[in-house]
Amino acid sequence: MAGDKTLTLRDSNKAARPINDRSHPVSPSQQTTRQPVRAAAAAFIGTMIEWYDFYIYATAAALVFGELYFPSHDPFVSTMASFATFAVGFFARPLGGIVFGHLGDKIGRKKALMTTLMMMGVATVCVGLLPSYTKVGLLAPVLLVLLRVVQGIAVGGEWGGAVLMAGEHAPEGRRTFFASFAQLGSPAGLILSLVAFRAVTSMEHADFIAWGWRLPFLASAVLLIVGIFIRLGVNESPEFEREKQMKRTVELPIAEVFRNSGTLVALCIGANTIGIAGVYFTNTFMISYTTQYVGVTKSMILDCLFVVAIIQFLSQPLAAYLAEKLGGARFLKLAATCAMISPYPMFIFVQSGDRMSMIVGIALAVICMSSFYSVIAGFVSGVFPTRVRYSAISLSYQVCGAIAGGLTPLVGTYLAHKFTGQWWPLAVFYTCLAGLSLVCIVALDALKHRRADALDAVPSR
């Protein structure tokens, strides 16, 4: 009898009991309290690793890939070919969003996230081991492109799952704050990648080209192990489990999204614009703009962006906390409005060419943009029903990433060349990006209120 009683107790508390302590089980209330924190931490660590891998590729593409994998008598051609492989990652992201959105809505968020983390980590380590063009010829750039596609698919599937694991584990009324930890991984990954390459670029140039550049990629193996260990400690999303138990999952989630939520997806694509485009405007484009048109050195603007990345990392959690107090929609409208204004003081400060002035100017724009970015994930995840949520928000975010992330630096470069010596067209362009997000947030908020009013109007039985 005692054995049967112990077995029953063990079975009923299997999910909550520590592995090595059978005499003092963890109560369901304790487990419920711990899981949201674990889920938020796992979302942050996982997305940090994914974005670290994504950003170190971008840095290597600018510094070494042209020389090693696309050798040419013209350095411009080599650099352009190298950046083309970087762009491939953007175009692969929507595919990753669709594939892993489907898997996340069908078999679970946790399994999809474990797969994306493995894909990204293995692909990144393989890049660090890849022989150069001089060793294997055309096979080298072909394999590099294939590995970049894998990276793009992985990061495309990562974001939606990380947001949902954190947000769907969150306590009542705290989805916005907990989901923001997935967004915090982007600046953290950027900081980590900058630190990693700052360390190896201090080597002798010959050593850096020969093997030093590979170290940040190989270090991803350690990060991968850490990420897997942390994610294993997080339970499946309780909201997904509820849908599964009630048999409300659908065969083709993405098909239902297109059939029933096309307008919402389009608005979410637009709503994400400044959060994604703003990053590539204030980072990727700003490097070329300041070095070519303001006359500052590359090391100076990189130092400025490093400081700004730290400011972004510190400001995003505060923005998510304030959004909980003000309301997600209201805060996003305020952040988008501030983002529309921010490029004008930014360019005034940047034009001075002074280090501190540039940090202040770029930080002003980044704080507005990143505040929006921090909160938008939790907001859009609440727009869609649980059974198709992974597919819907992944599609929205990754399509926006492919368009806004890929085109913003190109449009900025064209405007800077077309209006040489004038910064106002660039500021107007940035204002339009933020304005598009503001319009879409207003429309989404109106639709949510209309839907709520319609539900209230249905008589209870």
Side-chain angles (χ1 to χ4, degrees):
M1 290 295 292
D4 292 341
K5 184 177 180 180
T6 303
L7 179 60
T8 303
L9 181 61
R10 184 180 297 130
D11 289 345
S12 64
N13 289 286
K14 181 163 50 177
R17 186 190 301 274
I19 294 175
N20 58 356
D21 186 357
R22 297 184 179 180
S23 59
H24 300 287
V26 178
S27 68
S29 61
Q30 288 176 309
Q31 185 73 0
T32 302
T33 302
R34 292 176 182 177
Q35 277 298 310
V37 177
R38 289 181 182 177
F44 165 65
I45 297 296
T47 52
M48 180 187 71
I49 294 169
E50 295 265 355
W51 284 113
Y52 166 79
D53 291 347
F54 207 74
Y55 287 137
I56 59 172
Y57 188 102
T59 308
L63 295 176
V64 297
F65 282 171
E67 179 180 346
L68 292 178
Y69 295 100
F70 305 95
S72 170
H73 296 297
D74 187 347
F76 172 75
V77 174
S78 296
T79 303
M80 287 296 289
S82 178
F83 276 126
T85 67
F86 175 65
V88 166
F90 284 100
F91 298 119
R93 283 169 61 175
L95 175 60
I98 292 172
V99 171
F100 285 100
H102 174 82
L103 294 176
D105 285 328
K106 285 287 293 179
I107 65 174
R109 282 64 159 126
K110 182 175 179 177
K111 292 178 182 177
L113 282 175
M114 294 297 291
T115 305
T116 60
L117 189 62
M118 284 289 296
M119 285 177 61
M120 178 62 91
V122 171
T124 302
V125 172
C126 286
V127 171
L129 298 172
L130 195 63
S132 65
Y133 184 90
T134 57
K135 299 286 182 61
V136 295
L138 284 174
L139 182 62
V142 170
L143 290 176
L144 185 65
V145 171
L146 290 176
L147 290 171
R148 183 57 177 171
V149 170
V150 174
Q151 279 194 326
I153 292 173
V155 81
E158 166 72 20
W159 180 84
V163 167
L164 294 185
M165 281 294 279
E168 292 179 350
H169 270 287
E172 184 70 27
R174 306 215 64 193
R175 182 190 296 270
T176 295
F177 181 74
F178 278 79
S180 73
F181 280 85
Q183 304 292 69
L184 196 59
S186 179
L190 176 60
I191 293 169
L192 201 60
S193 68
L194 289 171
V195 170
F197 263 93
R198 178 180 287 271
V200 296
T201 50
S202 62
M203 302 168 60
E204 291 291 333
H205 181 70
D207 290 335
F208 173 70
I209 293 296
W211 56 270
W213 69 269
R214 299 179 183 273
L215 297 180
F217 289 86
L218 299 179
S220 184
V222 178
L223 297 177
L224 174 62
I225 294 171
V226 172
I228 290 175
F229 177 78
I230 290 173
R231 283 194 167 165
L232 285 173
V234 181
N235 295 337
E236 180 57 84
S237 157
E239 293 187 25
F240 173 79
E241 291 285 17
R242 195 178 306 120
E243 293 290 308
K244 188 175 180 180
Q245 289 173 6
M246 298 179 70
K247 302 187 183 301
R248 291 196 298 204
T249 56
V250 294
E251 283 300 315
L252 289 174
I254 194 66
E256 181 169 326
V257 169
F258 282 118
R259 185 168 56 248
N260 299 327
S261 305
T263 300
L264 289 176
V265 168
L267 289 174
C268 286
I269 291 172
N272 275 296
T273 299
I274 192 58
I276 296 174
V279 172
Y280 295 100
F281 190 99
T282 56
N283 285 275
T284 307
F285 168 70
M286 194 56 70
I287 293 174
S288 63
Y289 177 78
T290 53
T291 54
Q292 294 181 32
Y293 298 98
V294 181
V296 305
T297 63
K298 187 174 293 186
S299 60
M300 180 177 174
I301 183 61
L302 287 175
D303 287 343
C304 292
L305 292 177
F306 179 74
V307 175
V308 171
I310 294 174
I311 294 172
Q312 178 183 350
F313 180 79
L314 296 174
S315 64
Q316 280 192 198
L318 177 60
Y321 176 78
L322 292 174
E324 282 193 344
K325 305 300 180 182
L326 296 176
R330 183 181 301 174
F331 182 88
L332 287 170
K333 293 172 188 176
L334 177 61
T337 302
C338 291
M340 292 176 68
I341 301 169
S342 66
Y344 303 95
M346 175 179 70
F347 277 106
I348 291 173
F349 280 111
V350 166
Q351 292 299 123
S352 71
D354 174 71
R355 184 187 302 268
M356 186 55 64
S357 296
M358 291 174 65
I359 290 174
V360 171
I362 298 173
L364 285 173
V366 166
I367 288 173
C368 298
M369 172 273 295
S370 63
S371 295
F372 184 95
Y373 178 73
S374 177
V375 176
I376 188 63
F379 180 80
V380 298
S381 67
V383 170
F384 300 98
T386 305
R387 65 182 181 276
V388 297
R389 189 175 287 158
Y390 199 147
S391 297
I393 68 169
S394 295
L395 179 66
S396 304
Y397 184 86
Q398 302 306 339
V399 169
C400 183
I403 298 172
L407 296 183
T408 294
L410 292 177
V411 174
T413 301
Y414 171 79
L415 292 174
H417 177 74
K418 181 73 173 178
F419 300 94
T420 303
Q422 303 179 66
W423 55 262
W424 66 265
L426 294 165
V428 170
F429 172 53
Y430 192 96
T431 296
C432 291
L433 294 172
L436 175 59
S437 288
L438 176 60
V439 169
C440 291
I441 289 295
V442 170
L444 282 170
D445 191 38
L447 284 175
K448 287 178 72 174
H449 282 298
R450 193 180 308 165
R451 186 168 58 187
D453 291 341
L455 290 174
D456 290 340
V458 177
S460 58
R461 294 183 179 179

